[in-house]
Amino acid sequence: MAAAARVTLADIYRAHERILPHIHKTPVFTNSTFDKLIGRNAFFKAENLQKTGSFKARGALNAVSRLLQDTCSSARPVSSVIALKERSPNVAGVVTHSTGNHGQALAWAASTVGLGCAVIVPRDTPQVKKDAITNYGAELVLCEPTPQSRQETCDKIAKERGLEFIPPFDHHDVIAGQGTIAMELLKQAPDLDAILVPVSGGGMSSGIAIAAKAIKPGIKIFLVEAEGKMCEKSLRAGERLWPNPPRFLNTIADGIRMQHLGHLTWPILLELAEKDVFSLSDEDMIKGMKFAFQRMKLVIEAASGAAVAAAMSEKLAGMDKEMKNIGVILCGGNVDIEKLPWY
């Protein structure tokens, strides 16, 4: 509960005010064919159309903006995020580790405010994501494809260069930034009964849970994971059951392949998320991706395909029929079109 209390709806509102001039208010799409298929009304929040191609831009920009505000010597308010850099000369730059989307987002956020940025990514990160990171002006550093390697490499560079570490999920300002998704969604679709949220480390899902539950206490937040993540088992046990050291899952969804939840995000989701978790196979994700590509004309990555597949699943079909209106978070669209997973 203590961790959840540190990020409030007020924090999320302030984050939204801070980042709104620089991000997209992403649209919500509906599809009558999909609604007939699942027997409910689905509302797709298209974060695949967000800056940098994923929701991660929200948390990254909020975290960078807050970092500059905290180091700004003047107590006077600064109206522009971009103007903060001139007032914060003590920030040498930022660094992070990422499987791609957070790295792109932080590279973009840093370039937006004029900061240097280094991003550590596993060697097997899709080339389209590595190229995007460098295109946003960041330095790309490759590491071995394990959580331990990317953290160690990140720590080394941060120490050597005096860079500020902005983690992909376990950070209050990142969580607050991701929570702005739910603020927008519940204005666009106020009658939602539930939201399906893809989960990796839990920054987006915990932010959405905090905001959505504060705005509409009766709403249900369902986590959507890749097979093998063990979220439901851990949530039902009320304790972290993941092995150490942390590992990546074997899944086509590189955006949600972290097995464990973060240490900040875990208690939030333990309190606010439903204990029923949607666990999806690669085949399920491909099915979800194909529907979005073919019937909705939306390019989405496999993590988004997992949310679509969860909405199409027998598990949802067996749940309370009074749960009529379902939000589906399309978390990103950074997929290599030269290597689509069904080819």
Side-chain angles (χ1 to χ4, degrees):
M1 180 61 186
R6 293 176 192 166
V7 178
T8 67
L9 184 61
D11 295 326
I12 294 169
Y13 274 119
R14 284 192 290 268
H16 201 238
E17 292 175 356
R18 197 175 291 122
I19 67 178
L20 189 58
H22 305 281
I23 65 164
H24 297 313
K25 181 180 179 181
T26 53
V28 170
F29 293 107
T30 59
N31 184 278
S32 59
T33 300
F34 194 85
D35 291 349
K36 291 176 184 176
L37 180 68
I38 70 169
R40 306 176 195 261
N41 304 314
F43 298 83
F44 298 90
K45 179 65 168 165
E47 287 294 294
N48 58 312
L49 302 180
Q50 185 55 265
K51 296 282 189 178
T52 76
S54 87
F55 75 94
K56 293 282 192 178
R58 296 173 182 267
L61 184 59
N62 188 51
V64 168
S65 303
R66 285 276 292 154
L67 171 66
L68 295 181
Q69 285 179 339
D70 289 346
T71 57
C72 185
S73 58
S74 170
R76 290 177 298 163
V78 181
S79 59
S80 168
V81 165
I82 297 173
L84 283 169
K85 179 60 175 80
E86 298 175 0
R87 304 269 291 277
S88 307
N90 297 325
V91 180
V94 291
V95 63
T96 196
H97 55 73
S98 170
T99 52
N101 283 345
H102 176 66
Q104 291 179 63
L106 190 64
W108 166 78
S111 68
T112 298
V113 301
L115 279 177
C117 179
V119 180
I120 290 80
V121 300
R123 297 183 185 280
D124 59 354
T125 297
Q127 190 63 41
V128 64
K129 295 188 177 184
K130 291 191 284 191
D131 290 344
I133 289 168
T134 56
N135 288 341
Y136 286 120
E139 176 188 357
L140 186 73
V141 180
L142 301 182
C143 69
E144 295 307 311
T146 67
Q148 185 176 2
S149 176
R150 73 180 198 176
Q151 184 66 63
E152 289 174 351
T153 307
C154 187
D155 290 344
K156 180 174 182 288
I157 290 177
K159 183 177 180 180
E160 290 176 349
R161 305 184 191 179
L163 303 179
E164 295 285 343
F165 174 46
I166 306 292
F169 48 85
D170 249 351
H171 190 286
H172 294 116
D173 296 323
V174 170
I175 292 169
Q178 318 307 25
T180 63
I181 298 169
M183 277 182 50
E184 290 180 6
L185 177 57
L186 285 171
K187 287 182 180 178
Q188 294 164 311
D191 296 327
L192 290 183
D193 300 306
I195 307 176
L196 299 172
V197 192
V199 63
S200 185
M204 174 174 62
S205 50
S206 57
I208 285 176
I210 291 167
K213 286 287 194 177
I215 295 168
K216 191 173 185 179
I219 198 167
K220 295 181 184 298
I221 307 300
F222 290 102
L223 303 181
V224 177
E225 66 175 18
E227 280 184 338
K229 188 172 177 66
M230 299 167 51
C231 268
E232 182 165 328
K233 188 175 180 180
S234 294
L235 289 172
R236 291 193 182 281
E239 60 180 307
R240 301 174 63 89
L241 299 177
W242 298 285
N244 277 312
R247 69 181 183 92
F248 289 142
L249 299 170
N250 182 18
T251 173
I252 61 170
D254 59 279
I256 54 171
R257 67 173 177 166
M258 180 70 74
Q259 186 183 35
H260 68 282
L261 293 175
H263 290 281
L264 291 182
T265 60
W266 159 250
I268 298 170
L269 294 171
L270 179 61
E271 178 189 352
L272 298 178
E274 298 300 308
K275 301 301 185 281
D276 286 308
V277 175
F278 292 82
S279 190
L280 285 307
S281 67
D282 287 353
E283 291 73 21
D284 296 327
M285 296 179 202
I286 289 172
K287 181 180 177 182
M289 289 178 73
K290 283 185 173 181
F291 187 94
F293 273 63
Q294 295 172 338
R295 304 305 294 267
M296 300 181 70
K297 314 308 175 190
L298 290 173
V299 175
I300 63 171
E301 59 187 89
S304 298
V308 178
M312 301 167 71
S313 68
E314 291 184 6
K315 184 164 189 168
L316 183 64
M319 290 183 175
D320 186 359
K321 298 301 182 185
E322 294 301 310
M323 198 165 60
K324 284 289 187 183
N325 300 312
I326 310 296
V328 181
I329 307 298
L330 303 180
C331 55
N334 293 317
V335 61
D336 188 344
I337 60 172
E338 301 297 337
K339 297 180 181 179
L340 292 172
W342 50 87
Y343 289 128

